[in-house]
Amino acid sequence: MLTIGVDIGGTKVAAGVVDHDGQILDKVKYPTPANDPQGLADVVAKAVAELCARQEAGSVQAIGVGVAGFVDEDRATVQVAVNLGLRDEPLKERVQERVGMPVVIENDANAAAWAEARFGAGRGSDHIVCVTLGTGIGGGLVLGGALHRGRFGVAAEVGHYRMVPHGRRCACGNHGCWEQYASGRALVAEGQDRARTDPQAAERMLKLADGVIGQVEGHVITQAALEGDQAALECFGIVGEWTGLGLADLAAILDPECFVLGGGVSDAGSILLDPVRASFARHVSGRPGRRLAEVRLAELGGEAGIVGAGDLARH
C-alpha cells in the first residue's frame, strides 16, 4: 500500500508518494495560495492527482496532510493557521471530496516527529521528543510508541513554553517564550546585536553580509561559525545554552529516551549540538545518578513532513 504525504508550508505545498519503509518514490511542489482555503484544497488535490497518475492504478490508497497550524482532535479541521490564513477550516472534508480517498490532517511538526521516530534519528526508541529549531520552535511527542496529540489535538507547542517571566515579547502575544531565546530568530538577533555593538569582533559575519547588519541572517552566522569565527560560535553557544535549558525542563516533565533536534538551525551540526548537550547535562534535574536522554540531530531534513504525513495516513 502506498500513500501520499503532503506538507503545506507558508510558501510551498510539497507532496510525495511514500512507501511502507518511509521512502519517497515521487515528489511534486506547487506554490501555496495565500489566504485562499478553497484554492489550497485545489492545489493539494492537483498534487495528489499528478502523483497518482504516475503510479500503478489503485496503488495509492490514503492521503496524509501536514499543515503548520492547530489541528483538532479528529484530525479533520485546522483550528487556526496564521501564516495560511486558515481558521476553523474543514480541510479534511475539502480535500477528501476532491481526491476520493481517505484523508488525515495533522500538524506539520507532529508529522515530522512521527517520521523521525519511525524512520529517522528516533527509530528504535519509544519515548521521543522532537524539537524543530526554525524561525520559531516546533515540537512533536512520541510517547510509548504513539504520537501524543493531547485532548484537543494541540499538544507539544513547546516553543511557547515561557522560559523567562516578563521576557521578550513573542508573536503569540506572550512574553518570554522559549522560541525567543532558542530558534533561528534568536540566533539572528544574537548575530545582529554582535554586529551592531562590536563590529570588529563580528567582522567576518559582516563581510559575508556585505557589511549590512540587517543581512546578518542565519546562513551567514552558520557559515562564519563553520569557518571558526569566534563571534559566530559565541552566538551558537548562547542559543545552544538556551536550547539545552529548555530540553532539561522537558526532560523533567516527560522523561524521554531521546531528543531529536531538527530545523534550519540544526544544519550547523556539532556547532549547535555540542553546546546544547553541555547545557542539557548541566541543567537537567536529578544529577548525578539520573540517566540522561540522548540528544541527536534529525536525519530526514526537509522531507520529514512528507514522510510523516504519508505514514500517519497508513496508520
Side-chain angles (χ1 to χ4, degrees):
M1 171 183 173
L2 299 178
T3 60
I4 289 177
V6 183
D7 187 9
I8 299 176
T11 60
K12 69 177 184 299
V13 174
V17 178
V18 181
D19 69 12
H20 67 280
D21 293 320
Q23 298 296 311
I24 297 177
L25 307 181
D26 194 7
K27 188 174 176 181
V28 296
K29 290 182 183 179
Y30 290 99
T32 302
N35 300 308
D36 182 2
Q38 293 278 4
L40 181 61
D42 288 340
V43 167
V44 172
K46 182 179 179 180
V48 169
E50 182 176 345
L51 290 169
C52 285
R54 301 204 290 247
Q55 303 298 316
E56 183 179 342
S59 60
V60 175
Q61 298 183 20
I63 312 299
V65 181
V67 58
F70 288 177
V71 177
D72 72 350
E73 63 268 32
D74 296 325
R75 292 176 171 170
T77 300
V78 181
Q79 296 171 316
V80 60
V82 175
N83 291 337
L84 299 172
L86 304 181
R87 185 173 294 276
D88 295 324
E89 172 60 27
L91 189 59
K92 174 179 178 175
E93 179 183 342
R94 291 195 195 279
V95 174
Q96 206 160 256
E97 68 185 11
R98 286 165 169 79
V99 302
M101 283 183 279
V103 174
V104 169
I105 308 296
E106 186 54 88
N107 169 267
D108 61 342
N110 283 349
W114 181 252
E116 289 291 345
R118 290 267 292 145
F119 307 110
R123 61 188 178 277
S125 300
D126 286 335
H127 296 80
I128 301 155
V129 176
C130 289
V131 177
T132 304
L133 305 173
T135 302
I137 295 181
L141 308 175
V142 177
L143 305 177
L147 185 64
H148 179 75
R149 306 184 73 253
R151 169 62 182 84
F152 303 108
V154 295
E157 288 293 324
V158 295
H160 299 290
Y161 170 73
R162 282 189 271 183
M163 299 285 291
V164 182
H166 314 296
R168 299 172 185 166
R169 182 172 176 81
C170 183
C172 75
N174 287 324
H175 291 79
C177 293
W178 188 24
E179 71 174 40
Q180 294 303 307
Y181 302 88
S183 65
R185 184 184 292 112
L187 180 68
V188 169
E190 294 293 342
Q192 293 186 358
D193 182 65
R194 183 61 60 93
R196 187 177 299 107
T197 59
D198 192 353
Q200 184 173 355
E203 181 180 3
R204 182 56 185 157
M205 288 190 289
L206 280 167
K207 184 174 182 180
L208 289 170
D210 297 323
V212 180
I213 292 175
Q215 293 181 19
V216 178
E217 299 285 355
H219 68 281
V220 166
I221 303 168
T222 300
Q223 180 60 41
L226 290 170
E227 294 176 6
D229 179 74
Q230 188 59 37
L233 289 169
E234 289 173 2
C235 293
F236 272 100
I238 293 168
V239 169
E241 173 71 16
W242 280 108
T243 302
L245 180 60
L247 297 186
D249 286 351
L250 289 172
I253 300 167
L254 299 169
D255 189 31
E257 183 177 352
C258 75
F259 290 98
V260 176
L261 301 183
V265 181
S266 71
D267 291 344
S270 62
I271 290 173
L272 173 72
L273 193 60
D274 290 347
V276 169
R277 284 174 169 166
S279 173
F280 174 62
R282 281 196 305 274
H283 294 297
V284 72
S285 60
R287 297 285 287 172
R290 175 178 180 152
R291 293 177 62 185
L292 281 183
E294 291 186 56
V295 182
R296 308 171 186 166
L297 293 175
E299 295 180 0
L300 300 180
E303 295 187 334
I306 292 175
V307 172
D311 198 63
L312 285 168
R314 180 176 292 105
H315 286 84

